[in-house]
Amino acid sequence: EMSRRLDTVRATYQMQGLLLLLIQHKPRKPLCDKRHPTHHTPLLYLRVPGVPLVSSVQILDKSAKYHLTSPITTVVIPTLYTLVFLFGLPSNGLGLLTLVLKMEKTPSTIFLMNLAMADLLVILMLPFKIHYHFLGNHWVFGEALCRTLTGLFYGNLYCSVLLLTAISIDRYLALVHPFFSRRFRDKSFAICTCAVIWVLVGVSLMPLLLQRQVYTFEDLNINTCHDMLPEIESDYVLYYFVCLVVLEFAIPCLIIIFCYTSIIRTLIVNKKKYARAAKITFLLLIAFLLCFAPSNITLLIHYSVHPRTHNHNIYLYYLICLALSSFNNCLDPFLYYYISDEFREKVRSLFRDAEGEHSQKTSHKLMSANTCSRSPQMALYKWNLVVVVVSFTPGFSSEQLCAWKEHRG
């Protein structure tokens, strides 16, 4: 009976070894056959029934390895994100603080406050992306944070697009149809619009939060975050990003073009009076197209062409365009807030209030310190004065004086 058990265990180990050999085996013929470009697949799964996902083989071709180790992704892109973080964080933070504390809560102000919050959320995600790229596209923070980062980064980028669309519609109604928009253009309308935008973006990004994003590649000893996905999911990802780009970029882009061209046409009628406003509106339109159009176009091209060619160069261009599109978070405060004379005056007022409060606290501390330094002599002087006064007061005994002293401490 013991020998039968040993034979059973031995046969089991032999089967497991055979399965592992089948999994790790890389057939040579498909790698050389141009009609079956398996070696171009960025992430290839050879599945065996009953074998868990962690036992799958992950193969990187030369193009994918170059993408993951290129100086463009490990030096240039994180440097661009660092610049966005250094310039965007103080400008958006100060802008949001001024909008909240100093500006009147009009519909335009509410839209701008939400835009500043969306830009700040994108900027606050950048340190993780900077760390990831500077480490050679190696993710060390786990699957949950990778999904959260991917969802929030893309979500707030498209949330900025939708909020810019809402701002263009609000300005279009205020300038082109002022009497018609007076009926519904109020704070509640702006709040409801912003709430719908945040909910729409959150729902549209649920697939990114539910999909696995981190994959390990032993030949490079790295864990990628969202950069390398299984080929079996390419069709799903293509349809998803097509819907995302069409609904949250293409249609809003057409709306923005229509609104701003209508505003410019209306302002041009009075050339001298509104020439500066027309130039600013044209600048807003150009900045929006330059920041967001390249990244969305290259994204669609990548997911449309990659399943057939397995070429990663387009994705590399997309990462560069995505990093450049994040500069929109630095431009927004200057194009929408600081360009206004009234807003700059509110910022100066905010600094004056902060400086005045700081000087007041400093003077109060100095007065407290001077009082404390003189307090023993002052207390002794007051006590001697009380003793002198009490000694000349009839009916006031020494016991009452001691009780009063204990009460006063």
Side-chain angles (χ1 to χ4, degrees):
E1 182 181 356
M2 183 64 68
S3 62
R4 286 198 302 271
R5 291 183 178 178
L6 291 174
D7 293 339
T8 304
V9 173
R10 190 180 296 110
T12 302
Y13 280 112
Q14 289 177 353
M15 289 297 296
Q16 291 180 353
L18 180 60
L19 287 174
L20 290 176
L21 288 175
L22 289 174
I23 294 170
Q24 296 175 358
H25 177 64
K26 300 179 182 179
R28 296 178 178 273
K29 186 175 181 180
L31 294 179
C32 300
D33 191 355
K34 294 182 179 180
R35 296 172 299 176
H36 305 282
T38 310
H39 63 296
H40 287 297
T41 305
L43 187 59
L44 175 65
Y45 288 100
L46 303 179
R47 297 190 180 266
V48 178
V51 179
L53 181 62
V54 293
S55 299
S56 301
V57 176
Q58 302 174 7
I59 302 174
L60 283 172
D61 67 346
K62 292 182 180 180
S63 178
K65 288 182 180 179
Y66 172 76
H67 154 67
L68 292 173
T69 58
S70 170
I72 296 177
T73 59
T74 57
V75 178
V76 176
I77 291 176
T79 302
L80 293 176
Y81 283 138
T82 303
L83 293 175
V84 174
F85 180 80
L86 293 177
F87 288 99
L89 184 62
S91 59
N92 281 281
L94 180 61
L96 179 60
L97 193 64
T98 306
L99 288 169
V100 172
L101 298 179
K102 292 294 182 179
M103 298 297 292
E104 183 184 355
K105 301 305 179 290
T106 62
S108 299
T109 305
I110 293 172
F111 285 126
L112 293 177
M113 287 170 57
N114 282 268
L115 178 64
M117 286 189 290
D119 289 341
L120 273 177
L121 287 175
V122 173
I123 292 170
L124 292 176
M125 297 294 106
L126 291 182
F128 297 100
K129 294 183 74 66
I130 294 169
H131 181 270
Y132 169 70
H133 288 294
F134 271 135
L135 278 185
N137 297 300
H138 178 49
W139 183 258
V140 298
F141 299 108
E143 175 71 31
L145 191 55
C146 176
R147 296 187 187 187
T148 304
L149 171 69
T150 304
L152 289 178
F153 184 76
Y154 280 101
N156 288 290
L157 278 179
Y158 285 109
C159 187
S160 297
V161 173
L162 295 178
L163 287 169
L164 291 173
T165 307
I167 292 172
S168 67
I169 295 174
D170 179 69
R171 294 184 175 183
Y172 168 78
L173 294 174
L175 293 173
V176 181
H177 303 286
F179 299 104
F180 171 74
S181 61
R182 191 177 299 176
R183 305 174 186 174
F184 57 87
R185 188 175 167 266
D186 54 7
K187 290 193 294 185
S188 60
F189 170 75
I191 293 172
C192 293
T193 303
C194 293
V196 170
I197 289 174
W198 285 103
V199 171
L200 177 63
V201 171
V203 171
S204 64
L205 292 167
M206 287 302 295
L208 290 177
L209 299 176
L210 299 176
Q211 183 188 30
R212 180 183 173 184
Q213 302 289 340
V214 177
Y215 290 93
T216 302
F217 298 94
E218 295 182 356
D219 50 349
L220 296 179
N221 194 25
I222 60 173
N223 301 319
T224 61
C225 175
H226 186 66
D227 282 335
M228 292 293 167
L229 299 177
E231 186 184 16
I232 56 176
E233 298 180 1
S234 60
D235 293 337
Y236 156 75
V237 174
L238 171 63
Y239 298 142
Y240 169 72
F241 275 107
V242 166
C243 295
L244 190 66
V245 170
V246 170
L247 295 177
E248 298 187 4
F249 170 72
I251 296 176
C253 181
L254 295 175
I255 295 174
I256 289 176
I257 292 174
F258 169 77
C259 291
Y260 280 150
T261 51
S262 301
I263 291 173
I264 292 172
R265 189 168 55 250
T266 303
L267 294 175
I268 286 178
V269 175
N270 299 317
K271 293 183 179 180
K272 295 182 179 180
K273 189 175 182 180
Y274 298 109
R276 182 173 180 270
K279 292 178 181 178
I280 294 173
T281 305
F282 180 74
L283 182 62
L284 296 177
L285 179 60
I286 296 300
F288 175 83
L289 294 176
L290 290 179
C291 287
F292 290 107
S295 60
N296 285 276
I297 292 173
T298 52
L299 178 66
L300 288 182
I301 294 174
H302 167 70
Y303 283 111
S304 301
V305 175
H306 180 266
R308 297 191 301 271
T309 63
H310 302 283
N311 192 335
H312 296 273
N313 293 330
I314 300 177
Y315 187 71
L316 200 61
Y317 300 146
Y318 165 69
L319 290 180
I320 297 173
C321 293
L322 186 65
L324 293 176
S325 70
S326 63
F327 275 90
N328 178 76
N329 301 305
C330 298
L331 295 176
D332 281 345
F334 297 97
L335 294 177
Y336 288 90
Y337 318 145
Y338 301 113
I339 202 170
S340 168
D341 296 333
E342 180 187 0
F343 190 86
R344 291 198 300 271
E345 180 59 33
K346 296 293 185 181
V347 172
R348 286 191 287 267
S349 174
L350 184 67
F351 278 110
R352 285 195 296 267
D353 293 346
E355 185 178 357
E357 184 178 356
H358 176 71
S359 61
Q360 185 178 1
K361 288 182 179 180
T362 304
S363 61
H364 180 70
K365 288 181 181 179
L366 291 175
M367 291 177 62
S368 300
N370 294 333
T371 303
C372 292
S373 63
R374 296 194 304 266
S375 57
Q377 295 83 355
M378 184 63 68
L380 181 61
Y381 171 76
K382 289 182 178 180
W383 173 248
N384 293 331
L385 182 63
V386 168
V387 171
V388 172
V389 172
V390 168
S391 61
F392 289 98
T393 303
F396 201 90
S397 63
S398 60
E399 290 80 4
Q400 290 176 327
L401 181 63
C402 293
W404 179 84
K405 181 181 178 182
E406 291 178 358
H407 178 70
R408 297 287 296 179

